[in-house]
Amino acid sequence: MSDNFVIDVTRIRNEVRQKMQDGPITETYGKDSDRVIGVLNDVVATEVVCWLRYTRHAISASGIDRAQVSAQFTDHAKEELDHALRAADRVNQLGGEPAFDPAKLTDRSHTDYTTPLDGDLNQMLRDNLEAERIVISTYQEIIRWLGDGDPTTRRLMESILEEEEDHADDLVDLLGI
Ligand SMILES: [Fe+2]
Ligand SMILES: [Fe+2]
């Protein structure tokens, strides 16, 4: 099989000068950037809701294993906030407006904000595990949809996905299931 890979640098040099205001989005960008921004803003909302849920659970956790579980929730909360900020930065790079409007967060989020009664540790662990398993599935679909059209966003989502899988694993360990 012959490999005829040739980069037409002259064409690319001409194209990039046409739309300098698009910054990192060039003619070779392989997705509809508005759709990627929309999908990423749903990720921002999801991560903010996950940050809120873990933070609330860390504060409200009660029972004999409270300290250990609460510390784990606090660790996860920090990482969810970091995910939200990284997705929001990418929205901004792509020329979009990051969606932090609290009124729209629950509509956009893939996961629910839940508040188990009486600091019920077991229910909190189960709610968070369910949420992690939802984002693992939705982020895998986003990664497959991005394909090679936007490798930078795909790598961002892959790196977030890796941490969500760690979170799910931590929760399974704590649940002892
Ligand atoms: Fe996350
Ligand atoms: Fe997570």
Side-chain angles (χ1 to χ4, degrees):
M1 212 174 97
S2 67
D3 184 344
N4 296 320
F5 179 63
V6 178
I7 300 177
D8 185 347
V9 180
T10 306
R11 175 182 56 80
I12 289 175
R13 287 169 76 100
N14 286 330
E15 280 172 356
V16 300
R17 292 195 187 105
Q18 307 303 314
K19 295 181 180 169
M20 298 286 269
Q21 72 279 5
D22 287 351
I25 309 295
T26 66
E27 290 294 321
T28 56
Y29 185 78
K31 297 302 280 185
D32 174 343
S33 60
D34 287 339
R35 287 197 66 198
V36 174
I37 288 165
V39 166
L40 276 174
N41 267 331
D42 292 347
V43 171
V44 171
T46 302
E47 295 294 346
V48 171
V49 167
C50 289
W51 169 66
L52 289 168
R53 190 183 53 253
Y54 271 124
T55 302
R56 164 66 200 268
H57 290 189
I59 290 169
S60 304
S62 66
I64 192 153
D65 295 322
R66 179 193 183 283
Q68 187 192 8
V69 173
S70 181
Q72 189 70 258
F73 288 165
T74 301
D75 281 353
H76 288 192
K78 281 186 196 138
E79 291 184 350
E80 308 302 11
L81 181 58
D82 179 61
H83 297 164
L85 297 177
R86 285 158 69 195
D89 268 342
R90 185 61 182 159
V91 167
N92 186 57
Q93 277 184 357
L94 293 172
E97 306 280 344
F100 283 108
D101 180 353
K104 295 181 183 150
L105 284 180
T106 44
D107 271 356
R108 296 200 81 131
S109 175
H110 301 163
T111 61
D112 295 327
Y113 178 81
T114 56
T115 52
L117 292 174
D118 306 322
D120 180 342
L121 281 189
N122 195 58
Q123 192 57 48
M124 286 178 175
L125 288 165
R126 286 183 176 279
D127 285 0
N128 287 305
L129 178 57
E130 185 180 316
E132 294 293 353
R133 286 173 54 79
I134 289 168
V135 301
I136 287 167
S137 288
T138 58
Y139 292 1
Q140 280 175 349
E141 291 197 359
I142 290 169
I143 289 161
R144 277 194 281 271
W145 171 69
L146 286 166
D148 58 5
D150 180 343
T152 306
T153 303
R154 192 190 65 226
R155 272 192 291 113
L156 167 67
M157 292 305 301
E158 285 171 350
S159 129
I160 293 175
L161 172 64
E162 199 178 328
E163 292 190 7
E164 309 302 9
E165 291 180 0
D166 272 345
H167 292 173
D169 193 44
D170 291 340
L171 296 168
V172 164
D173 283 348
L174 285 167
L175 275 162
I177 56 176

